[in-house]
Amino acid sequence: MTSGSFSVALDPIDIHVGSRVRLRRNLKGMSQEKLGLAIGLTFQQIQKYERGANRIGSSRLFQLAQVLDVPPSFFFDDMPAEVAATAPSPVAVSHEQAEDQASDDEETRSLVETYYRIKSPLVRKRVFELVKAFDTEVLAGRKAPRRRRRKAA
C-alpha cells in the first residue's frame, strides 16, 4: 500500500443511515463498544458505520435493527429529499423486454442442463470450444445472427 493520501467521497445515504445508527444508539444509552460486542464488531467499525465511511450491508443492518430495537426502515426515516435523490433510479423495463429476458433465461437454463447431460468429457469439451468460437466471431466484429422471435402458440 502506498503512503499517499487520497480522498473518497462518502455516499450521502450511507452518512444518513450511519447518523440514524448513532442517534438510536445514543437514545438507548449504549456505547459504540457495547453495540459492537452485540453484533460481533469492534467499536472502530461502529465508528466507521456511524460516519458513513463504511457501507452497512443488509444483514448487518438487520442485526443493528434488532439490537437497537427498531425496524430496519428506521435507518432511512427522515432522509432529506436531496439525499434520497442521490440514489440511482430503477431501470424501467418494458413488458416486451421482460418477456425477452425470461425467454433468454429459459434458453440459458435449457442449454446448461443439456450441456451437463453430455456424458463424454471430450464431446462436452468440443461443444464448449464450439460455443467459444461463436463468441470469438462476435467479438471480432462479425455480426451475430439475428434472433428470431418465437411465435405465440
Side-chain angles (χ1 to χ4, degrees):
M1 186 174 231
T2 61
S3 62
S5 69
F6 62 94
S7 171
V8 175
L10 302 179
D11 187 295
I13 296 174
D14 293 336
I15 293 170
H16 177 80
V17 169
S19 73
R20 299 289 291 177
V21 169
R22 183 182 323 108
L23 171 69
R24 185 61 184 165
R25 178 182 59 76
N26 287 332
L27 287 172
K28 288 200 55 107
M30 187 180 280
S31 70
Q32 289 176 332
E33 186 174 12
K34 186 175 177 184
L35 178 56
L37 284 171
I39 61 173
L41 296 174
T42 64
F43 76 90
Q44 292 95 335
Q45 185 64 45
I46 298 299
Q47 285 177 335
K48 290 178 182 180
Y49 283 160
E50 289 183 354
R51 282 195 325 263
N54 282 7
R55 180 162 290 163
I56 302 173
S58 56
S59 58
R60 183 73 68 202
L61 192 68
F62 189 78
Q63 285 180 315
L64 286 165
Q66 287 181 314
V67 170
L68 295 173
D69 196 30
V70 292
S73 62
F74 170 84
F75 302 110
F76 300 95
D77 289 345
D78 301 327
M79 185 180 296
E82 61 273 9
V83 171
T86 65
S89 60
V91 177
V93 177
S94 72
H95 181 69
E96 186 175 292
Q97 288 170 319
E99 283 180 345
D100 284 347
Q101 182 63 44
S103 173
D104 289 348
D105 290 348
E106 180 57 37
E107 195 173 273
T108 301
R109 198 171 15 261
S110 176
L111 180 64
V112 170
E113 288 171 357
T114 303
Y115 173 80
Y116 280 110
R117 279 197 300 265
I118 299 171
K119 301 283 187 233
S120 167
L122 179 62
V123 172
R124 206 170 35 238
K125 182 179 180 187
R126 295 236 169 107
V127 167
F128 178 74
E129 289 169 353
L130 176 67
V131 171
K132 275 179 52 177
F134 283 124
D135 185 49
T136 303
E137 285 183 16
V138 171
L139 291 175
R142 296 181 193 103
K143 282 192 171 181
R146 285 186 56 102
R147 200 175 137 190
R148 294 193 338 233
R149 269 187 82 70
R150 295 180 201 164
K151 293 183 181 178

